[in-house]
Amino acid sequence: MTRFANSNSNSSSNSNGAWTLVLGLGIVMSISFGFTLNAFGIFTLPIIEMFQCSHEQAARIATVFMVSMTLAMPAAGWLLDHVAPRPVMATGGLVTGLAYLAAAHSADLASFTAAIALCGAGVGASTYVPSFILVSHWFSPRRQGLAFGILLAVVAAGGTVLPIGLNRMVEVLGLRVAMQAGAVTILAVCVPLLLG
């Protein structure tokens, strides 16, 4: 259990640090999902317009993201059996932000799709699996239900509100600029929170 040296195991369940952890993880997951998974409905028409592709091709991008994210989760779980959560999560957050930035600068649909696939892998490595491991470690079993409930409520709230603002950004600034702003947000907020 040396990989969790910064936590005080289940004795921390009443400390401010444990609840701050839940809030921080919720913010990271809200931003990560808000700019990616929850945004594909907003992005479909701008992608069609930008790359002159079909609805099917544009819809396939969300599928590629989901497959990539899903495949990254067992890999992240395996890594977490061998190393501490912080480097796994921070690396995943960094990959997410940089891949999202690469997607914003993609010249064609193939490179955009590849960048979104890499983004999905980053999200898979930096969200659910390590977050659940950390919360399970910081909270005693009798407090885990509340901790998980608050974590997922923060994620749901952020994932609901953030796409509204993102939709407005796409309308006003265009898809590429909105995605660049999303990448900067991921790199400036999520990565430092995951390293903290």
Side-chain angles (χ1 to χ4, degrees):
M1 283 295 182
T2 55
R3 16 186 218 118
F4 297 102
N6 290 337
S7 69
N8 294 324
S9 191
N10 294 330
S11 64
S12 297
S13 60
N14 293 319
S15 74
N16 288 339
W19 293 109
T20 301
L21 173 78
V22 169
L23 180 60
L25 292 172
I27 291 169
V28 167
M29 291 171 68
S30 294
I31 291 171
S32 296
F33 292 143
F35 281 113
T36 59
L37 183 62
N38 297 354
F40 289 119
I42 296 165
F43 288 172
T44 301
L45 292 178
I47 288 170
I48 291 169
E49 183 180 327
M50 188 164 62
F51 296 116
Q52 297 299 298
C53 63
S54 68
H55 284 271
E56 181 185 353
Q57 288 172 310
R60 216 176 285 150
I61 293 168
T63 303
V64 167
F65 175 90
M66 286 298 297
V67 168
S68 177
M69 184 179 87
T70 301
L71 293 175
M73 288 184 191
W78 180 85
L79 276 173
L80 290 164
D81 286 340
H82 298 87
V83 297
R86 187 176 293 164
V88 174
M89 296 177 82
T91 301
L94 186 62
V95 167
T96 301
L98 293 176
Y100 203 73
L101 188 61
H105 291 281
S106 296
D108 55 54
L109 185 63
S111 59
F112 185 88
T113 304
I116 291 297
L118 189 56
C119 189
V123 171
S126 61
T127 56
Y128 283 125
V129 177
S131 294
F132 290 168
I133 287 174
L134 282 171
V135 171
S136 295
H137 185 78
W138 275 78
F139 288 86
S140 65
R142 68 181 188 84
R143 298 300 297 272
Q144 286 177 8
L146 178 60
F148 284 125
I150 291 172
L151 173 62
L152 294 176
V154 172
V155 173
T160 301
V161 172
L162 189 58
I164 296 169
L166 183 60
N167 185 52
R168 183 69 180 141
M169 282 186 359
V170 171
E171 289 175 351
V172 173
L173 304 172
L175 179 61
R176 290 189 190 276
V177 175
M179 290 186 75
Q180 289 173 30
V184 169
T185 303
I186 292 166
L187 293 170
V189 177
C190 294
V191 175
L193 279 175
L194 292 171
L195 284 171

